Amino acid sequence: MRHAPTLATVATLAALAAGARGAAADPAVTRLFTAPTAWMTPGGALTASAALEQSVEYRGDGAVMVGYGLGGLASIELGADTEIRTCTQCSEPANARWFPRAAFRIGAREDAWFRGMPALALGLKNTFGAPGFGPFERPRVTEAYVVASRTVGRVRMHGGAMAIAAAFGDLELRPVLRPIAGFELRPPGLPRSTFVGDVAWTTRLEFEPEPSERRGPRLEMMVGGGARYQFFDWANIELGVRVPREEGLANGRVMVRLNGVWELSSPGKRRLELR
Amino acid sequence: MLRASGILISAVMLTGAIARAQPAPDVPIAPPTGAGQPQPTPPPAHPPPPPPDMGQAGHGTGQPAGDEPGQRTDFGDPYAPVKPVTEPPKKRLRPVYMPELLTTPTGFLLPAAVLYSKTSIDTGGGVSSDTRVGLGDVAEFGIATTDGVRQRLDETDVRATRIQPYVTASFRLGIQEDRLTRGQPGVTLGFRKSFERNHDGFSTRIAELTLVASKHLGPNAALHVGGAFWDASLEGDLDGDADTAREEVTLHGLEDVKSQLRAFGGIELRPLPKSQILVDLGWSPEFCYRCAVPGDKIRLRPTLSWGVRYEVAEWMRLESGVRVPDIGDANLLDAQIFGQISFTSRALQRAIEGLK
């Protein structure tokens, strides 16, 4: 039973490998507003995204990520974001902190194993080299997920599960499983526009003064919704609102994000379309 | 009309006189003997190909024909067809199979004189490198730095940190796949030993003897299975009492062979022509300097890795994936995302082939 995660991982990887051959091209956006998708970055392609977020309370939140597609099977991303929040007065909105992040994902594309099969991805995203501050010594967060994505007509649906573990100092949150879901909808007559919505979970690092018991990492549901507009074949812009459940709609964050993808291995040979 | 005939006759006579003045083709031109003699014609930029059977002209004496007095030089038939210059067929080079999966050794050896280099970084701050050379298709020698060895202070220290760089030397010998019999897996016997590492007042060493078999299952899959016999030593102030002498604990000193033996292995799959999925399970030593139980001072911890190898070029590969240093505790927080780049070079191999 102790080795069940190991066996499950190996079995999933073997299954992904079995189905990766002969796959069709997938869109290159690997996440919705918060939730990851199962779309894979094309092999040899460089992806980049930059996001800015603003709420009533805070400014300057965001994310910068750069990724590279490895052979059409996997991708790696490096960057930093403010997904992880910290608070010492946790009845108020939490503070945004920039954390260096790295992500690796491996997957199989739509219809790879059988007709009608959704795209699948197994991924891991973690913090690295994050400096401690105040009571938050050695903060660390790791998210492992399995997600499936499938195109049905004008809608692309996404669903999966995410295990999140977090720690700072001596306080630790053992891996907790949470569902993730989302959709993308292309309205008729607007081929370059997409409505996007998702539900996912982010981490709050809480450390209130005694005698409060709000100490340690907690998970927080994040609901996002907005639109995406593709202004070039290789680039799009997203505009949306993300609402953390703890803080309510009044503290929703407006987000603007730019995504781009470039073929590096054979420039000009294959035109990439970012959808 | 008469004038034209005169010109024609003059031209023929002049041409005949010039032709007669030329030596016969097989008569050598005498060298100039002094001033006023005509200068010899400079040699052509591209000398004509040697006539066939020149070696027989001197009747095996080593002297060219015609060197003896009164004998005419034989230049052979200048109109004989020239033999085409054909290069000997190039020897087919063995493919290079990687000597390591992600963290564990494989049963494949580097071909003779092939150089291999790998550099790796990960999100845990680990940096490692590995340099090897293939020896005669039957062995391999390498120097590496590993970031797999970890340390803790005592039982209360729940977070093990890495000791790095940890320099090791390795030697492996073995038999290629299908060399002895058809279907025989590649087998290697390897030995890896570290130099002594002094860290925080403690001295540690590790050594590992491995036997691993690797077998291709079709063109797109390979399986690796092996066993390792570990040893390690820890020396220092292990009880925390400054008055007592330094003592040493070794893994073999525990007199429990089972604590030294471990099985490891992995699989590689090639679903796309230039991309492979790799999964392996290996072991790494962990030192606990002041753990009270002797068996806890040196322990072997399982490491699970999975990732992708992407062949950017024949000589360059990018690898990336996830490594969980202690999968036994299912500690997701310690999972590391790594990236590594490996190069193989046949330059030395080609140079040696050229000398042959």
Side-chain angles (χ1 to χ4, degrees), chain A residues 34-61:
Chain A
T34 311
T37 68
W39 309 136
M40 292 304 298
T41 303
L46 181 74
T47 63
S49 72
L52 272 178
E53 268 191 330
Q54 181 169 346
S55 67
V56 176
E57 296 283 335
Y58 302 107
R59 296 173 184 174
D61 299 5

Side-chain angles (χ1 to χ4, degrees), chain A residues 20 40-47 67-77 103-107 109 263 265, chain B residues 271-272 274-277 306-312 316-322 337-341:
Chain A
M40 292 304 298
T41 303
L46 181 74
T47 63
Y68 183 70
L70 286 163
L73 283 179
S75 68
I76 186 168
E77 283 185 307
F104 175 81
R105 42 196 279 122
I106 184 170
R109 302 178 189 279
E263 173 72 77
S265 56
Chain B
L272 297 172
K274 290 192 169 187
S275 304
Q276 288 177 289
I277 291 178
W306 69 88
V308 168
R309 178 182 292 152
Y310 175 42
E311 294 177 6
V312 181
M316 176 180 166
R317 295 159 185 84
L318 291 177
E319 294 167 10
S320 183
V322 177
I337 295 170
F338 64 84
Q340 51 197 33
I341 185 167

Side-chain angles (χ1 to χ4, degrees), chain B residues 78-148:
Chain B
Y79 304 106
V82 178
K83 282 185 181 175
V85 179
T86 55
E87 292 183 3
K90 286 185 177 176
K91 186 181 172 184
R92 192 180 171 194
L93 298 174
R94 274 183 55 208
V96 179
Y97 297 123
M98 293 296 103
E100 232 182 22
L101 212 50
L102 288 170
T103 59
T104 58
T106 68
F108 302 135
L109 287 168
L110 290 174
V114 167
L115 302 173
Y116 168 86
S117 168
K118 183 170 79 172
T119 304
S120 172
I121 57 170
D122 65 49
T123 56
V127 179
S128 64
S129 69
D130 189 357
T131 305
R132 304 178 189 220
V133 60
L135 303 170
D137 285 335
V138 292
E140 187 183 290
F141 172 75
I143 296 282
T145 63
T146 177
D147 56 2

